Amino acid sequence: MNLTIEKAKEFYSKMLLIRRFEEKCVELYSAQKIRGFLHLYIGEEAVAVGLADALSEDDAILATYREHGHALVRGISAKSVMAELYGKVDGCSRGRGGSMHLFDAKSRFYGGSAIVGGGLPLAVGMALADKMQNRKRVTVAIFGDGAVAEGEFHESLNLAALWELPILFVCENNQYAMGTALRYTESQTDIYKKAESYNIHAKQIDGMDVVKVAKAATRAVEDIKETSKPVFLECLTYRFRAHSMFDAELYREKAEVKEWKEKGPLVVFEERLKDAGLWSDLDLKAIEADIQNVIDEAVEFAENSELEPIEDLEKFVYSEVSNG
Amino acid sequence: MAETTYREAVRAAIDDAMSSDERVFLMGEDVGHYGGCYAVSMGLLEKFGEQRIIDTPLSESTFTGAGIGAALNGMRPIVEIMTVNFSLLALDQIMNNAATLLHMSGGQFNVPLVIRMATGGGKQLGAQHSHSLEGWFAHIPGLKILTPATVQDAYDMVGLALKDPNPVLVFENALLYNDKGELDTSAKPLPIGKAKIEKEGKDVTILTYGISLFKSLEAAQTLAEEGINAEVIDLRSLRPLDDETIMASIAKTHRVVIVDEGWKSGSLSAEIMARINEQAFYELDAPMARVCTAEVPLPYAKHLEDAALPQADKIVETVKKMVGVS
Ligand SMILES: Cc1ncc(C[n+]2csc(CCOP(=O)(O)OP(=O)(O)O)c2C)c(N)n1
């Protein structure tokens, strides 16, 4: 990948946007503006940003409940995500989804799903439909290392390989499922090897380096479009914050967190740019100011957005119209 | 009009839908090369090919979820689950995805999916193959639940389900597949959510669905011989329920017996009683009654299984007690 200054700026801005957006979320959560479960992505930004770089508008994403980052880089506006966190009608799910259930038809963002492993079968079906209709597009299924223990993970990998479906499986291996480290739950902690056992082309990559993720994802998407077969990427990453806002985080050593923070995605990227001689060309102040602006506007938008009228409570239980 | 089996009627509905809409396909365990575990899809693989009649592994959760994903992405899948007992492995997908996606997405993503499954006891298959859990599924907003009893409905409901933009679950009682009846494929189908008065009467209303319809009709005949004129209503659709037809009948007969192959506790019959209580209490001349499956996992031995399931004689007995003839 040729890291131009434009690309560098884009990657850096997007990672910083996710970071600042979520830091704002913490504040708003403490101020009780945002409620419910709130799972932060801080520390894992390189995965979402690198991945988004590889996708075209036609591709679809199915993510988990830790999906603010994916939603933002996929092009759902910060306003729309923030309004959703506020439970307002202008939110991307009209306030019915919340942090864990972001959806957006325009950007082909199919969740936002809070059942661990539950999105994988849907991805199989999405890709099956593309294959049946001879459409060359990719469905991306994003999930954590915890999902690997669910039966649906294995069923879905088997079907995707058996039916040769255009799916990009992206495992965000942040080493923990809530408070339980992977080594306590998996006999095989190299997750990509599980995918290999289903005859899926699989790679383990450094999920802290946005350029490495972008490269691997671009390559994977090309392969999928060419062969119509699934590819599996295991991204080694780490969440710097607790699992959710309710987690006292007693299960891991401060030293471990510190160690990972030292190889955080922004830090790693800074080094990369310095090596490439591009760092000094980034106008950091301007980027920071732009992002601050986006976030301020998002908060203002969310504050001012209306609540869905209670009379509409029972809307969207049944559909009157068919899709497609 | 032609005499057809229930099995052939379901097959004809799938065949017609697949012939007229490229987006329709069938997937499930043994639906293709084997011909369907109840032989419903026999011959369809030869006609439509492996791309559209898809054999799946024993992965209920994922192939059901794949049906949801395909529906989200422009197809009209029919997922066949061998029996309702195995649908429990797919419950996560049905409940947490199919039923919720439209609402959670603020109206953006509907799921035009049909799930067909066999249901019901009476074949001595024991406790893991014999249950009637359609009443459970009827608890869930976002789903529609259909229970065709007649050959005509077996055909009509599969077609209606496929035209509906929502996830529709069709429960086919396994004992009905060999039943024969007249089928008119050009008749205008009775819509989803409409009950049907199968036999008019004035003394008591028997509300039922699925295979219990025939037991209820048999009971009504016995009762008629003793001068009791029962009205028998096939509910057809468990969600939505046709309150209007139910309440209108009670306003006429003033007595009601519900026949439901589910267990009594927390059942569909309990729901119907509650609705009658809310909407037609003052029409009642007698306490409502119901005939349900005994509160046991269905036993294997025939005499025990027969005793556990609702039967015509129990319906007769219940009605007679209610009208004060026994
Ligand atoms: C089926 C299911 N079981 C349990 C949970 C509760 N739960 C929520 S998040 C989580 C941990 C999942 O970890 P992982 O898949 O590694 O994702 P991460 O949170 O690390 O991104 C658990 C157990 C759930 N939501 N769904």
Side-chain angles (χ1 to χ4, degrees):
Chain A
M1 165 171 288
N2 213 350
L3 197 58
T4 60
I5 183 69
E6 288 75 34
K7 209 25 115 192
K9 192 174 166 200
E10 181 194 328
F11 281 173
Y12 188 77
S13 304
K14 284 184 172 166
M15 288 197 291
L16 200 64
L17 170 68
I18 300 173
R19 180 72 57 99
R20 296 284 181 261
F21 184 91
E22 294 210 311
E23 286 165 353
K24 189 72 197 176
C25 289
V26 175
E27 240 180 271
L28 294 166
Y29 200 88
S30 309
Q32 312 215 352
K33 295 282 185 179
I34 300 176
R35 303 274 74 201
F37 279 145
L38 180 67
H39 305 88
L40 300 178
Y41 194 57
I42 290 175
E44 308 187 30
E45 296 92 342
V47 181
V49 174
L51 181 61
D53 188 59
L55 303 180
S56 63
E57 271 183 9
D58 284 349
D59 301 326
I61 292 187
L62 291 101
T64 66
Y65 45 82
R66 199 183 296 289
E67 86 284 28
H68 300 166
H70 311 97
L72 290 170
V73 295
R74 189 58 190 165
I76 310 184
S77 70
K79 287 182 177 170
S80 169
V81 175
M82 191 59 85
E84 188 59 35
L85 303 185
Y86 268 70
K88 299 288 184 75
V89 70
D90 295 311
C92 57
S93 308
R94 296 181 74 102
R96 282 169 168 80
S99 167
M100 301 195 289
H101 304 292
L102 305 176
F103 291 91
D104 184 46
K106 262 202 322 295
S107 39
R108 304 205 72 224
F109 197 84
Y110 289 82
S113 177
I115 306 291
V116 172
L120 291 164
L122 301 192
V124 168
M126 295 276 301
L128 176 65
D130 282 336
K131 184 171 175 165
M132 290 177 117
Q133 302 193 359
N134 292 314
R135 292 184 296 231
K136 278 246 176 275
R137 50 194 202 185
V138 172
T139 299
V140 185
I142 302 167
F143 50 95
D145 45 286
V148 169
E150 293 284 356
E152 282 174 329
F153 170 84
H154 299 274
E155 294 182 20
S156 298
L157 260 56
N158 179 48
L159 273 179
L162 181 73
W163 291 346
E164 302 191 343
L165 299 178
I167 305 187
L168 176 57
F169 291 101
V170 178
C171 178
E172 298 182 321
N173 183 358
N174 62 15
Q175 342 278 334
Y176 289 89
M178 284 179 61
T180 304
L182 196 58
R183 65 181 181 280
Y184 297 127
T185 58
E186 286 297 320
S187 59
Q188 170 58 274
T189 51
D190 281 326
I191 290 170
Y192 75 100
K193 289 187 184 160
K194 293 176 192 285
E196 280 179 342
S197 81
Y198 290 99
N199 282 331
I200 294 177
H201 178 60
K203 271 181 91 165
Q204 188 177 58
I205 60 169
D206 177 359
M208 300 309 257
D209 185 330
V210 65
V211 177
K212 286 186 185 153
V213 176
K215 264 189 197 160
T218 304
R219 179 69 201 279
V221 167
E222 281 166 11
D223 281 357
I224 293 167
K225 287 199 171 149
E226 196 180 305
T227 62
S228 176
K229 286 185 188 171
V231 174
F232 190 102
L233 291 181
E234 177 188 358
C235 304
L236 296 178
T237 184
Y238 201 81
R239 60 171 160 71
F240 296 170
R241 302 288 184 124
H243 167 73
S244 76
M245 297 299 286
F246 293 120
D247 167 12
E249 232 190 319
L250 302 172
Y251 48 85
R252 58 186 193 184
E253 300 294 334
K254 293 242 167 17
E256 181 186 293
V257 181
K258 187 165 166 278
E259 201 179 302
W260 275 92
K261 280 189 176 168
E262 281 159 15
K263 34 185 184 179
L266 290 160
V267 180
V268 167
F269 193 56
E270 182 178 331
E271 275 163 28
R272 231 180 205 283
L273 290 184
K274 280 180 178 158
D275 289 348
L278 293 172
W279 181 247
S280 54
D281 296 341
L282 273 194
D283 188 345
L284 296 176
K285 275 207 176 120
I287 294 176
E288 211 38 275
D290 282 351
I291 287 171
Q292 197 51 53
N293 214 11
V294 169
I295 289 167
D296 290 346
E297 280 177 16
V299 173
E300 194 189 321
F301 178 79
E303 288 279 348
N304 293 328
S305 173
E306 300 290 319
L307 294 168
E308 178 111 35
I310 303 260
E311 303 83 79
D312 289 346
L313 171 66
E314 289 180 27
K315 258 189 168 176
F316 315 128
V317 176
Y318 293 99
S319 178
E320 304 291 320
V321 281
S322 261
N323 70 358
Chain B
M1 296 277 258
E3 193 164 73
T4 310
T5 63
Y6 186 96
R7 167 185 296 109
E8 288 162 347
V10 177
R11 184 189 305 143
I14 297 171
D15 191 335
D16 289 356
M18 288 186 64
S19 303
S20 63
D21 187 345
E22 289 261 303
R23 299 172 303 175
V24 178
F25 69 97
L26 174 71
M27 79 176 143
E29 291 156 7
D30 274 344
V31 299
H33 294 91
Y34 185 80
C37 75
Y38 291 100
V40 167
S41 49
M42 191 74 81
L44 295 180
L45 176 68
E46 289 68 27
K47 184 162 178 188
F48 294 104
E50 287 181 3
Q51 306 300 317
R52 295 180 72 198
I53 302 292
I54 304 176
D55 279 321
T56 64
L58 312 182
S59 308
E60 285 81 5
S61 191
T62 288
F63 71 71
T64 303
I68 299 166
L72 283 170
N73 206 3
M75 301 297 287
R76 291 291 179 276
I78 307 174
V79 168
E80 177 176 307
I81 297 179
M82 281 188 181
T83 89
V84 68
N85 297 77
F86 315 148
S87 77
L88 301 186
L89 284 97
L91 206 50
D92 164 51
Q93 289 298 330
I94 298 172
M95 164 81 230
N96 285 320
N97 285 332
T100 58
L101 276 163
L102 179 71
H103 194 77
M104 282 196 311
S105 68
Q108 294 180 84
F109 295 123
N110 67 305
V111 180
L113 168 70
V114 176
I115 303 174
R116 298 174 34 243
M117 46 187 141
T119 188
K123 290 214 301 188
Q124 289 194 262
L125 298 179
Q128 292 178 338
H129 282 69
S130 305
H131 289 140
S132 294
L133 304 178
E134 51 275 358
W136 267 14
F137 285 98
H139 178 63
I140 304 172
L143 303 179
K144 294 189 178 180
I145 307 299
L146 305 182
T147 52
T150 64
V151 168
Q152 186 70 43
D153 270 350
Y155 178 83
D156 288 346
M157 284 183 179
V158 172
L160 284 172
L162 276 165
K163 291 204 181 73
D164 199 283
N166 297 287
V168 183
L169 275 52
V170 183
F171 289 87
E172 299 158 15
N173 189 295
L175 286 183
L176 293 175
Y177 283 123
N178 286 328
D179 275 20
K180 287 192 176 146
E182 295 290 315
L183 174 63
D184 181 354
T185 56
S186 61
K188 188 171 182 312
L190 203 57
I192 290 177
K194 276 311 281 172
K196 187 173 176 216
I197 301 175
E198 282 285 346
K199 178 194 168 297
E200 301 250 10
K202 58 175 180 48
D203 298 328
V204 58
T205 297
I206 302 176
L207 297 172
T208 184
Y209 69 89
I211 197 165
S212 302
L213 170 65
F214 303 101
K215 296 174 180 174
S216 300
L217 287 168
E218 189 190 327
Q221 195 162 12
T222 309
L223 290 165
E225 284 155 20
E226 305 196 22
I228 301 166
N229 189 358
E231 177 145 302
V232 179
I233 293 180
D234 179 3
L235 294 167
R236 300 178 69 252
S237 157
L238 307 190
R239 187 177 192 106
L241 268 171
D242 183 358
D243 289 8
E244 202 184 331
T245 302
I246 296 171
M247 304 313 153
S249 178
I250 290 165
K252 183 166 78 172
T253 64
H254 309 291
R255 289 183 182 85
V256 63
V257 173
I258 303 155
V259 185
D260 174 5
E261 215 182 278
W263 293 292
K264 226 177 220 182
S265 309
S267 63
L268 184 91
S269 60
E271 168 64 20
I272 295 172
M273 283 185 152
R275 289 188 188 208
I276 293 169
N277 186 50
E278 285 164 349
Q279 298 173 47
F281 181 76
Y282 292 106
E283 296 290 354
L284 292 171
D285 283 349
M288 299 177 268
R290 52 191 163 152
V291 181
C292 293
T293 290
E295 305 265 322
V296 293
L298 276 191
Y300 159 74
K302 185 165 184 347
H303 69 295
L304 293 178
E305 187 183 36
D306 285 346
L309 291 168
Q311 306 293 358
D313 56 355
K314 283 192 222 167
I315 305 169
V316 169
E317 196 185 308
T318 306
V319 170
K320 280 165 77 173
K321 214 157 111 193
M322 179 178 285
V323 297
V325 194
S326 66

